[in-house]
Amino acid sequence: QLQLRESGPGLVKPWETLSLTCNVSGVSVSSRSYYWGWMRQSPGKGLDWIGVIYYKGDTFYNPTLKRRVTIFVDKSKNQFFLNLTSVTAADSGVYFCTRPWDIGSWFDPWGQGTLVTVSS
Amino acid sequence: QSALTQPPSVSATPGQKVTVSCSGSTSNIGKNYVSWYQQLPEVAPKLLIYDNIKRPSGIPDRFSGSKSGTSATLGITGLQIGDEGTYHCATWDTSLSVWVFGEGTRLTVL
């Protein structure tokens, strides 16, 4: 059974880079036709899509974040990662890793989420 | 402001039925499938409905989805206290090439 778990620093200083890890268990991160994605939820707000990566390495990012986002995979560790540069308080929230079943389709499952606060 | 519009809250008593609406546009709901997610307090979102009407295995048939034009609806029958939480709709926006979500609807079971 596929399970996802996020990890990373809970506190990031303004203008620094937020780096998160999603540990994948139950399936290989390089499984054929699999996508992997990152979402976030600001306090009291809805969900926002950050970006996805295809098993072949192709990436698709939310245009509003594209200049600051990088998603990549480490097959040897069965993990995928999120880097978000030049963070501000607006980037604070709970970050989730998830599996989109295709571009434009649904997300299942989700990790439990990790809270990130941007503050000096 | 989200691309999809949901009511901020709905409430009902145990055993009753409730519906949650999700309104979009011709470029998102009008052209693409809708999915629904349940987010219980302090828990990650969980897929409830995909492809407008389908339920993943393990999701009881108390939960149902429908879509008409540029709107979608989540229905929950036989409400339980454990259903209290926030319900999110989502779809793809063909014009923007992004996934879009509603702001979420908080369900209170009185």
Side-chain angles (χ1 to χ4, degrees):
Chain A
Q1 182 184 359
L2 173 60
Q3 291 186 317
L4 306 172
R5 179 175 286 271
E6 308 86 350
S7 62
L11 182 65
V12 182
K13 288 183 168 53
W15 306 112
E16 293 191 345
T17 296
L18 181 166
S19 296
L20 298 177
T21 299
C22 183
N23 191 69
V24 179
S25 60
V27 73
S28 169
V29 75
S30 56
S31 294
R32 183 180 177 84
S33 300
Y34 272 58
Y35 290 86
W36 307 101
W38 287 97
M39 302 286 205
R40 70 181 181 183
Q41 185 172 32
S42 301
K45 299 285 189 180
L47 296 158
D48 284 321
W49 167 62
I50 297 172
V52 303
I53 186 166
Y54 193 40
Y55 81 106
K56 289 184 177 181
D58 308 68
T59 51
F60 306 91
Y61 299 135
N62 189 322
T64 63
L65 297 170
K66 188 174 183 177
R67 290 185 300 108
R68 300 193 292 129
V69 172
T70 304
I71 297 175
F72 57 100
V73 167
D74 186 330
K75 297 176 183 178
S76 67
K77 295 182 178 179
N78 215 40
Q79 297 171 328
F80 63 100
F81 306 87
L82 168 69
N83 280 350
L84 182 65
T85 62
S86 303
V87 296
T88 67
D91 295 309
S92 296
V94 179
Y95 285 71
F96 300 95
C97 58
T98 183
R99 181 199 168 193
W101 281 63
D102 201 344
I103 294 297
S105 77
W106 63 95
F107 300 91
D108 183 55
W110 297 62
Q112 87 282 359
T114 187
L115 176 63
V116 175
T117 301
V118 178
S119 174
S120 55
Chain B
Q1 187 173 356
S2 298
L4 304 181
T5 301
Q6 296 182 238
S9 62
V10 295
S11 62
T13 56
Q16 283 193 325
K17 174 182 178 178
V18 71
T19 59
V20 179
S21 61
C22 176
S23 177
S25 68
T26 53
S27 65
N28 45 61
I29 293 181
K31 281 189 169 67
N32 299 290
Y33 289 113
V34 175
S35 54
W36 289 90
Y37 303 86
Q38 176 192 61
Q39 188 173 22
L40 301 180
E42 308 302 321
V43 177
K46 175 182 175 182
L47 178 67
L48 272 186
I49 299 289
Y50 67 100
D51 286 356
N52 302 332
I53 62 172
K54 298 177 181 177
R55 280 178 289 106
S57 66
I59 300 299
D61 59 7
R62 300 189 298 110
F63 297 91
S64 64
S66 65
K67 176 184 140 176
S68 178
T70 58
S71 293
T73 302
L74 172 71
I76 310 173
T77 59
L79 272 174
Q80 302 173 2
I81 297 292
D83 295 331
E84 281 202 335
T86 301
Y87 292 81
H88 306 270
C89 60
T91 189
W92 180 256
D93 192 296
T94 301
S95 295
L96 300 174
S97 294
V98 297
W99 272 280
V100 290
F101 290 83
E103 287 281 351
T105 297
R106 184 172 185 83
L107 168 64
T108 301
V109 181
L110 303 168

